[in-house]
Amino acid sequence: VGLELEIIPVKPYIHMKYIPVKGQKKYCDVIRELSGTYDGDAKVPDYLEATVYNKEEAVIMVGNFADVKTPEQASKINNVTKWYKPWFYKHVETFLHKGESDEYIPLREYLLRHNKAIFWVIESMIPFGNHPLFLALLGWMLPPKPAFMKLTTTPVVRAMTFTKQVFQDIVLPINKLEEQIDKSEELFDTYPILVYPCRIYDHGEHKGQLRPPRPDQMVPGTNYGMFNDLGVYGVPRDVRERRRWDAVSAMRQMEAYTRSVGGYHFMYADTFLTLEEFQEMFDLTSYEQVRKKYHAEGAFPHVYDKTKPEIDIMAVGKAYMDPLS
């Protein structure tokens, strides 16, 4: 048997509970507890995420597969992807004021919940895009097709995608969650940010490009460590307030922090790593062995070359530090 897959049965709905929490340490502790960070035998939800709206306020979302069987449950169905519905993160934000609540979201719509607003990136493009009138008349046009956006991206617009904005997903140890959020605020100061708990397993001799978690990152009684994806998307405060912002310096500092705690950057985003830093972050031992064994060296580009930006980010970063006139 070359591959075994565990099939997880699903149900047509996600029963979503919204838990607003105030206080950074408190919401970080709740996320760690719900994700099973402290106990490998703890029952964990099917889906868990948090949207942090500022350093001291977050809404934690706990989702489980569910059926809708009663009229009461049916009354709580929310088709979140309908064109006239508010952007999902704006909907979630209301629970900071309304308090804890729950609803049922069709599974497919839950999986696509952030599409319409591309998380919250569309707000910087269409500031009035969440207005009920705009949604009712033109909400069906969202989100813009990525292929169209890339087709119309000029060199100047491409430069601004990282010098005036930040789009990063970073995997970091969840025991450093408070520190991560502080570092994000120090370097980018843009909210909301997303937190998705995830596991990194220690596969022993069968390891891949992710290194085994460090001892203090391991969940007791298991062979995995608990991490989280930190999603930072938006326009940094310095840019919004028309101040000088050094994107290269900010990202270099974030990458250095990520390496220091044993984390990883998603390679879809612009990275500023040197080859040596890339090799420090990722374990390329098996990868290099396979490249050599199958004579790929010189025939196919190295994974580092395939993931680094296609433009000179250092030069572009320096050219666009000043506020736009």
Side-chain angles (χ1 to χ4, degrees):
V1 178
L3 179 67
E4 291 185 3
L5 297 177
E6 180 181 359
I7 298 176
I8 301 174
V10 301
K11 295 183 177 181
Y13 292 91
I14 295 294
H15 182 207
M16 180 64 68
K17 294 182 180 179
Y18 300 93
I19 307 172
V21 184
K22 294 190 177 182
Q24 187 192 53
K25 186 175 189 312
K26 185 175 181 181
Y27 68 69
C28 289
D29 283 343
V30 173
I31 294 169
R32 283 188 284 256
E33 183 177 355
L34 289 171
S35 64
T37 300
Y38 306 120
D39 182 4
D41 295 323
K43 180 176 173 54
V44 297
D46 295 315
Y47 293 95
L48 177 63
E49 66 179 282
T51 302
V52 180
Y53 288 92
N54 58 64
K55 191 172 178 178
E56 297 300 330
E57 292 185 308
V59 177
I60 298 170
M61 287 157 273
V62 181
N64 286 289
F65 293 119
D67 293 306
V68 170
K69 298 180 179 179
T70 68
E72 180 185 4
Q73 292 173 333
S75 69
K76 293 183 176 182
I77 294 175
N78 185 2
N79 298 98
V80 296
T81 61
K82 293 291 186 182
W83 78 94
Y84 54 84
K85 290 283 188 173
W87 294 340
F88 186 69
Y89 82 97
K90 289 291 191 182
H91 169 62
V92 173
E93 188 176 18
T94 64
F95 296 103
L96 286 173
H97 312 290
K98 294 190 295 189
E100 188 170 332
S101 187
D102 72 303
E103 62 186 9
Y104 291 83
I105 303 175
L107 177 58
R108 183 178 183 276
E109 297 198 33
Y110 171 73
L111 297 176
L112 299 175
R113 64 199 179 281
H114 286 301
N115 276 28
K116 187 161 57 178
I118 313 181
F119 295 93
W120 34 83
V121 172
I122 289 294
E123 185 173 20
S124 62
M125 304 176 187
I126 312 174
F128 50 83
N130 194 52
H131 190 282
L133 184 60
F134 177 89
L135 290 171
L137 297 178
L138 299 172
W140 57 270
M141 298 178 65
L142 299 177
K145 192 174 181 64
F148 173 77
M149 296 173 70
K150 290 181 179 180
L151 181 66
T152 57
T153 298
T154 65
V156 172
V157 172
R158 172 66 182 93
M160 291 183 184
T161 58
F162 76 89
T163 59
K164 302 302 178 186
Q165 303 173 87
V166 55
F167 299 101
Q168 292 289 329
D169 281 285
I170 310 162
V171 176
L172 296 160
I174 205 167
N175 62 358
K176 303 284 188 183
L177 186 52
E178 293 91 340
E179 195 173 282
Q180 302 168 29
I181 295 167
D182 290 346
K183 180 63 70 172
S184 174
E185 183 174 277
E186 172 195 339
L187 297 175
F188 310 116
D189 201 359
T190 184
Y191 290 94
I193 55 179
L194 279 182
V195 176
Y196 290 108
C198 58
R199 298 172 179 174
I200 293 182
Y201 284 80
D202 181 353
H203 292 291
E205 62 178 329
H206 301 293
K207 61 183 179 179
Q209 292 182 6
L210 302 187
R211 302 181 185 280
R214 299 172 182 178
D216 67 308
Q217 299 166 352
M218 298 295 290
V219 175
T222 73
N223 66 333
Y224 59 81
M226 189 57 65
F227 286 67
N228 66 275
D229 169 29
L230 188 74
V232 186
Y233 329 112
V235 180
R237 180 180 293 276
D238 283 347
V239 176
R240 296 197 306 271
E241 298 182 354
R242 303 180 64 79
R243 293 195 295 263
R244 185 180 176 90
W245 185 64
D246 188 342
V248 174
S249 174
M251 276 308 305
R252 293 284 294 158
Q253 289 181 65
M254 192 69 200
E255 289 172 344
Y257 170 74
T258 301
R259 294 196 308 277
S260 73
V261 297
Y264 306 91
H265 279 260
F266 278 43
M267 291 293 102
Y268 81 85
D270 286 322
T271 59
F272 299 72
L273 299 165
T274 65
L275 176 59
E276 292 72 24
E277 291 164 345
F278 187 85
Q279 292 169 329
E280 179 187 347
M281 182 175 288
F282 296 96
D283 185 350
L284 302 182
T285 304
S286 298
Y287 173 78
E288 299 291 5
Q289 290 173 350
V290 171
R291 276 179 62 82
K292 184 175 182 179
K293 178 178 179 180
Y294 293 104
H295 310 290
E297 297 166 325
F300 297 99
H302 192 275
V303 64
Y304 172 75
D305 296 314
K306 291 195 290 184
T307 58
K308 69 180 183 181
E310 80 287 0
I311 58 177
D312 186 343
I313 52 177
M314 301 298 182
V316 172
K318 290 181 180 179
Y320 284 86
M321 282 194 293
D322 291 323
L324 297 175
S325 58

